[in-house]
């Protein structure tokens, strides 16, 4: 039967294999994004302390203090809160004058607890270097090659806004959807306070404490740092994986229902066989035969019921992540309209500040949506063909 199905639907099965590979890759790509909350807002321009002096990012100090004060109201709801700055693009050069554009990230000591770039050579930035604003840097391998023509420039110096930074580590280049430049480097955030490097955006990021419901608290507190965009990557990850979740749940639900149908048929055959045997033998002699067959049927029904219950739980699980979509009263049109209107207010803002993780998840959501939809159509076609073949047999 399967051989005949392969001959007739070879192209469909090959397409399903390709779609399955894309869906698997997309699922792992979604899982790779950290489960964090982000608040992103535009950075201020460098300012001069006095006329004629070089402009510096002295305002960063006050922003750091404000971010540090969030640890108290977010205690118990979020952990690992850290502030970092992004400059994209930033001009990076070396002493011989060679210059490239790169994505500069100014980090505090808690940054690497939320993001873990793959270290190839050297070391990460020490906490003390972040605390005292030492001029040290971690570069990715592509930036190292672009500036020095080799991938292990430990101890070499690069220049940002006329200031030299010593390279202490080399990380693996990891450009993905949402990254607008080819190179990246990391320096202590406090080193940028006495620098005039124009910054693009500021980000405050924290990891939610599981089961604490930290999203409302993070939204309320993070906005105090500046007007911007607040994003839950936890919700965005579930949203991106939703098409694949629906496809798997519907597929498993169909298989479970088909299992129930098979168990009903098996039960019918059992009853028919019992009626045949009871005419020839005493019921007492058939008791053992009936008991173990009945036990197998019971186990089969229990397995199907457990599978359907598991599918239902997975289907309703997003409700706990997106409670704002559930109106207070489901049957009142006004409450339903109000709930949907409130949900779409934030995405409908005129300006939105997006980090690469958010852009990546939105790309994956579109990719998984189209692939899951096409896979569902192909699986439905194959399911119909397979059911027809089983009915003929």
């Amino acid at each position: 039967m399967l051989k005949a199905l392969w001959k007739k639907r070879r192209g469909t099965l090959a397409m399903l294999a390709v779609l399955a590979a894309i869906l698997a890759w997309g699922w792992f790509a979604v899982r790779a994004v950290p489960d964090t909350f982000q608040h992103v807002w535009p950075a201020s321009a460098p300012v001069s302390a006095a006329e004629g002096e070089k402009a510096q990012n002295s305002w960063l100090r006050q922003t750091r203090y404000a971010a540090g004060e969030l640890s108290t109201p977010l205690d118990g709801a979020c952990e690992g809160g850290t502030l970092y700055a992004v400059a994209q693009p930033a001009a990076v050069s070396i002493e011989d004058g060679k210059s490239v554009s790169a994505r500069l990230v100014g980090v505090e000591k808690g940054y690497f607890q939320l993001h873990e770039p793959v270290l190839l050579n050297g070391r990460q930035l020490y906490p003390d270097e972040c605390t005292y604003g030492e001029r040290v840097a971690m570069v990715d391998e592509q930036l190292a090659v672009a500036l020095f023509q080799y991938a292990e420039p430990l101890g070499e110096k690069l220049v940002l806004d006329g200031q030299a930074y010593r390279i202490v580590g080399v990380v693996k280049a990891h450009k993905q959807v949402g990254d607008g430049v080819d190179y990246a480097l990391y320096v202590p955030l406090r080193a940028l306070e006495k620098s005039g490097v124009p910054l693009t955006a500021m980000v405050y990021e924290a990891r939610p404490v599981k089961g604490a419901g930290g999203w409302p608290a993070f939204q309320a507190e993070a906005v105090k740092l500046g007007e911007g965009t607040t994003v839950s990557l936890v919700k965005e990850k579930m949203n991106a994986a939703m098409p694949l979740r629906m496809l798997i749940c519907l597929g498993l639900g169909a298989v479970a229902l088909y299992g129930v149908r098979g168990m009903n048929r098996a039960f019918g055959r059992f009853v028919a066989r019992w009626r045949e045997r009871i005419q020839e033998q005493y019921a007492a002699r058939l008791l053992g035969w009936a008991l173990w067959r009945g036990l197998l049927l019971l186990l089969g029904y229990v397995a199907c019921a457990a599978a359907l219950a598991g599918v239902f739980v997975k289907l309703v699980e997003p409700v706990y992540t997106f409670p704002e979509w559930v109106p207070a009263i489901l049957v009142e049109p006004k409450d339903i309209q109000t709930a949907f209107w409130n949900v779409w207010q934030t995405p409908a803002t005129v300006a939105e500040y997006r980090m690469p993780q958010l852009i990546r998840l939105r790309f994956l959501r579109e990719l998984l949506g189209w692939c899951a939809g096409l896979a569902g159509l192909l699986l439905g076609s194959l399911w119909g063909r397979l059911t027809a073949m089983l009915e003929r047999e």
Side-chain angles (χ1 to χ4, degrees):
M1 181 181 64
L2 293 178
K3 187 176 181 181
L5 184 65
W6 166 254
K7 289 182 178 179
K8 293 181 179 180
R9 297 286 181 171
R10 186 177 302 174
T12 301
L13 292 172
M15 179 64 73
L16 274 174
V18 173
L19 291 173
I22 296 175
L23 290 172
W25 171 84
W27 185 82
F28 282 108
V30 169
R31 297 280 296 178
V33 177
D35 291 322
T36 60
F37 300 149
Q38 291 181 342
H39 181 66
V40 188
W41 70 100
S44 302
V47 295
S48 299
E51 186 176 352
E53 292 187 359
K54 186 177 180 180
Q56 297 180 348
N57 293 308
S58 54
W59 53 270
L60 273 176
R61 185 178 294 103
Q62 187 62 36
T63 303
R64 273 197 302 106
Y65 293 154
E69 292 175 357
L70 295 185
S71 59
T72 300
L74 293 180
D75 185 31
C78 300
E79 59 185 4
T82 186
L83 177 74
Y84 57 97
V86 178
Q88 183 172 311
V92 185
S93 61
I94 54 179
E95 293 180 352
D96 66 1
K98 187 172 184 178
S99 178
V100 297
S101 294
R103 184 171 185 263
L104 170 65
V105 184
V107 305
E108 289 277 74
K109 57 184 179 181
Y111 177 86
F112 296 110
Q113 296 176 3
L114 300 181
H115 302 273
E116 298 180 2
V118 179
L119 189 65
L120 298 179
N121 292 290
R123 59 175 176 80
Q124 290 186 352
L125 305 180
Y126 288 145
D128 286 347
E129 291 172 336
C130 294
T131 300
Y132 296 109
E134 301 289 340
R135 293 197 181 99
V136 291
M138 292 169 55
V139 301
D140 70 15
E141 54 186 332
Q142 290 188 358
L143 177 58
V145 172
L147 291 176
F148 302 99
Q149 282 72 55
Y150 61 99
E152 299 181 7
L154 300 180
E156 299 286 354
K157 292 185 178 181
L158 54 81
V159 179
L160 289 169
D161 191 46
Q163 297 175 339
Y165 289 74
R166 178 171 53 89
I167 298 175
V168 297
V170 179
V171 299
K172 184 177 181 180
H174 192 60
K175 184 178 180 181
Q176 297 189 42
V177 176
D179 296 331
V181 291
D182 294 326
Y183 315 120
L185 73 157
Y186 305 85
V187 303
L189 176 66
R190 303 187 190 197
L192 298 178
E193 292 180 7
K194 297 182 179 180
S195 167
V197 177
L199 301 177
T200 307
M202 299 297 301
V203 185
Y204 183 78
E205 188 167 5
R207 182 186 297 111
V209 175
K210 190 173 182 179
W215 176 235
F218 185 87
Q219 282 183 300
E221 296 299 329
V223 73
K224 298 176 182 179
L225 297 175
E227 291 294 331
T229 302
T230 309
V231 174
S232 170
L233 294 183
V234 178
K235 291 187 175 184
E236 293 293 337
K237 287 176 65 174
M238 181 166 283
N239 191 22
M242 193 74 72
L244 182 57
R245 171 189 289 269
M246 295 298 296
L247 177 64
I248 293 175
C249 287
L250 292 177
L252 292 178
V255 171
L257 290 174
Y258 195 80
V260 173
R261 182 182 178 186
M263 296 306 302
N264 290 337
R265 290 181 175 180
F267 181 74
R269 289 194 296 268
F270 168 73
V271 172
R273 185 61 175 158
W274 168 266
R275 288 176 178 174
E276 291 177 2
R277 286 199 157 198
I278 198 66
Q279 296 176 4
E280 301 173 355
Q281 302 180 38
Y282 291 111
R285 294 182 178 180
L286 295 176
L287 185 60
W289 174 87
L291 281 177
W292 75 268
R293 283 173 173 78
L295 181 60
L296 289 177
L297 286 171
L298 179 61
L299 291 176
Y301 277 115
V302 169
C304 292
L308 288 172
V311 169
F312 177 77
V313 169
K314 288 298 181 182
L315 278 175
V316 302
E317 189 176 289
V319 173
Y320 299 99
T321 304
F322 300 95
E324 64 271 17
W325 284 97
V326 182
I329 303 176
L330 291 175
V331 296
E332 286 292 336
K334 182 178 180 181
D335 292 299
I336 296 174
Q337 180 182 2
T338 301
F340 276 70
W341 178 265
N342 292 336
V343 166
W344 285 105
Q345 286 307 296
T346 300
T349 53
V350 176
E352 183 182 35
Y353 302 95
R354 299 167 294 177
M355 293 299 291
Q357 296 91 346
L358 177 60
I359 300 173
R360 194 174 308 143
L361 287 174
R362 290 183 178 177
F363 163 76
L364 291 171
R365 180 183 63 191
E366 295 296 323
L367 178 66
L368 292 177
W370 285 102
C371 289
L374 181 56
L377 292 175
L378 295 178
L379 285 172
S381 173
L382 284 178
W383 183 265
R385 171 69 65 173
L386 183 60
T387 303
M389 293 174 67
L390 290 174
E391 291 290 344
R392 286 198 297 269
E393 293 184 0

